[in-house]
C-alpha cells in the first residue's frame, strides 16, 4: 500500500514538474579539442580521440535535468551546418586551441559568426581556452583580446565565462572544464523559461524571418561589466561577464 502511495506521489510530481531538457552545442574550429572536452564532461576517460567528421549527440543528466550536447565537426566544410542547430540550443560551449597562435584569427572569425547569429545572441556562452599543457599556450587575458570577447559578449548580450583548461593536465585546468560546464548549466537554469520560449518560438517560420535587431537585442544600456575587471588578477580561474 505504501509503495502504491509513493508511486502515485512521484507520478503526480512528474506531471506537475516535467523534466527540463537543456540542449548545448560544442563549437570551435577543427583540432580545438571539442571532443576531448566533451569526453571529460561525460566522464569518458578514453585517450583515443578521432577528429569529429560529422555529428554526434551525448546525453547526460544534471540534477533533475536531461542534458543533450551536440558535438559537430569543426572543419571548414561542415561549419556551414552549425547554424541549423542554433535555434534549438540553450547555450554554447566554444573551444579554442590556445597553443595554436597561427589559427587564432580564424577562431576569432568563427566565434564572431557564432555569437552574432540571431539565434545565439542573448544565450550563455562558455569559452574554453584549451591545451594549456602545451608550450606557448596563451592565457585567458590574451584569449579575450585576440577573440574580441568583451565587445562581442556585451554587444550581443551573451553572459560569457572564460576558462583556461587542459584535457591532459590533471590539475585545476581539467577541473576548470567541469566548473565551467556547471556554471553554464546553472546560468541556463536561471533563465530557462525565457530561453526555452525562444526555442519554441524559433520553430515557427515567422520567427525565423525576424532580424536580430528587432527580435532579440534589447535597447537597454550595456548590462555587463568590462571583462578586464575580472582579469586584473591573472590567477583568476573563472572570469565572467554578467
Amino acid at each position: 500500500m505504501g509503495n502504491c502511495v509513493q508511486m502515485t506521489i512521484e507520478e503526480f510530481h512528474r506531471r506537475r514538474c516535467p523534466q527540463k531538457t537543456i540542449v548545448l552545442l560544442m563549437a570551435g574550429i577543427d583540432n580545438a579539442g571539442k571532443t576531448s572536452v566533451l569526453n571529460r564532461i561525460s566522464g569518458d576517460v578514453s585517450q583515443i580521440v578521432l577528429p569529429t567528421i560529422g555529428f554526434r549527440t551525448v546525453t547526460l543528466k544534471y540534477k533533475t535535468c536531461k542534458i543533450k550536447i551536440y558535438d559537430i565537426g569543426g572543419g571548414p566544410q561542415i561549419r556551414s551546418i552549425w547554424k541549423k542547430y542554433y535555434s534549438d540550443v540553450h547555450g554554447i560551449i566554444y573551444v579554442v586551441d590556445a597553443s595554436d597562435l597561427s589559427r587564432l584569427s580564424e577562431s576569432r572569425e568563427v566565434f564572431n559568426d557564432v555569437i552574432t547569429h540571431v539565434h545565439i545572441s542573448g544565450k550563455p556562452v562558455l569559452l574554453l581556452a584549451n591545451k594549456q599543457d602545451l608550450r606557448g599556450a596563451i592565457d585567458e587575458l590574451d584569449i579575450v583580446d585576440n577573440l574580441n570577447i568583451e565587445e562581442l559578449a556585451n554587444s550581443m548580450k551573451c553572459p560569457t565565462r572564460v576558462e583556461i583548461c587542459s584535457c591532459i593536465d590533471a590539475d585545476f585546468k581539467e577541473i576548470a572544464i567541469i566548473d565551467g560546464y556547471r556554471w553554464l548549466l546553472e546560468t541556463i537554469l536561471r533563465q530557462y523559461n525565457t530561453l526555452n520560449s525562444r526555442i519554441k518560438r524559433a520553430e515557427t517560420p515567422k520567427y525565423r524571418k525576424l532580424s536580430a535587431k528587432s527580435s532579440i537585442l534589447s535597447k537597454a544600456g550595456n548590462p555587463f561589466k568590462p571583462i578586464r575587471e575580472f582579469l586584473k588578477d591573472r590567477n583568476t580561474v573563472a572570469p565572467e561577464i554578467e
Side-chain angles (χ1 to χ4, degrees):
M1 178 68 178
N3 289 338
C4 292
V5 172
Q6 181 64 29
M7 290 175 62
T8 301
I9 293 174
E10 291 177 355
E11 178 64 23
F12 177 77
H13 179 74
R14 281 195 294 269
R15 292 184 179 182
R16 287 288 303 273
C17 305
Q19 184 185 48
K20 294 177 180 177
T21 297
I22 295 175
V23 183
L24 305 175
L25 175 67
M26 300 285 301
I29 66 175
D30 51 300
N31 202 41
K34 297 186 297 298
T35 298
S36 294
V37 166
L38 182 51
N39 287 348
R40 291 303 181 276
I41 291 173
S42 64
D44 184 351
V45 297
S46 174
Q47 296 297 314
I48 301 176
V49 178
L50 299 177
T52 303
I53 305 301
F55 171 90
R56 72 165 177 157
T57 302
V58 173
T59 302
L60 305 170
K61 285 195 66 177
Y62 179 74
K63 296 183 177 178
T64 59
C65 301
K66 177 181 178 181
I67 313 299
K68 290 177 62 178
I69 306 179
Y70 296 151
D71 180 19
I72 308 178
Q77 303 89 345
I78 202 171
R79 291 174 204 162
S80 60
I81 74 167
W82 290 2
K83 59 187 177 182
K84 297 181 181 296
Y85 299 91
Y86 290 168
S87 63
D88 300 326
V89 304
H90 297 81
I92 293 285
I93 301 176
Y94 191 88
V95 185
V96 180
D97 181 349
S99 71
D100 191 350
L101 305 186
S102 67
R103 301 190 70 189
L104 280 180
S105 60
E106 180 183 0
S107 192
R108 170 178 173 149
E109 181 179 343
V110 173
F111 180 70
N112 181 86
D113 290 344
V114 172
I115 200 171
T116 58
H117 193 278
V118 59
H119 291 307
I120 296 299
S121 62
K123 294 181 178 179
V125 176
L126 170 64
L127 191 142
L128 298 175
N130 193 26
K131 303 192 181 181
Q132 293 292 321
D133 54 289
L134 299 182
R135 179 175 298 180
I138 60 178
D139 64 12
E140 62 266 53
L141 181 58
D142 289 327
I143 284 290
V144 167
D145 285 341
N146 278 277
L147 269 65
N148 195 30
I149 294 172
E150 179 182 343
E151 181 179 342
L152 288 170
N154 285 335
S155 64
M156 303 313 296
K157 308 293 188 263
C158 290
T160 301
R161 174 160 168 160
V162 179
E163 292 275 9
I164 54 174
C165 68
S166 168
C167 295
I168 303 299
D169 197 335
D171 65 8
F172 79 93
K173 296 181 182 67
E174 183 174 322
I175 296 174
I177 296 174
I178 303 302
D179 288 344
Y181 173 65
R182 288 172 178 165
W183 169 87
L184 181 61
L185 295 180
E186 289 295 336
T187 302
I188 290 170
L189 285 173
R190 285 195 295 269
Q191 48 183 305
Y192 183 80
N193 290 338
T194 299
L195 291 170
N196 212 47
S197 294
R198 280 185 60 183
I199 290 172
K200 292 185 179 301
R201 289 201 309 272
E203 296 173 356
T204 65
K206 180 179 179 180
Y207 182 83
R208 292 181 182 274
K209 294 180 181 179
L210 296 178
S211 68
K213 182 176 180 181
S214 63
S215 63
I216 300 299
L217 297 183
S218 169
K219 295 182 180 180
N222 185 350
F224 302 106
K225 297 178 181 178
I227 196 167
R228 290 182 183 278
E229 291 185 14
F230 298 96
L231 297 177
K232 289 178 180 177
D233 182 358
R234 286 299 189 93
N235 294 322
T236 300
V237 177
E240 299 181 20
I241 305 174
E242 59 181 5

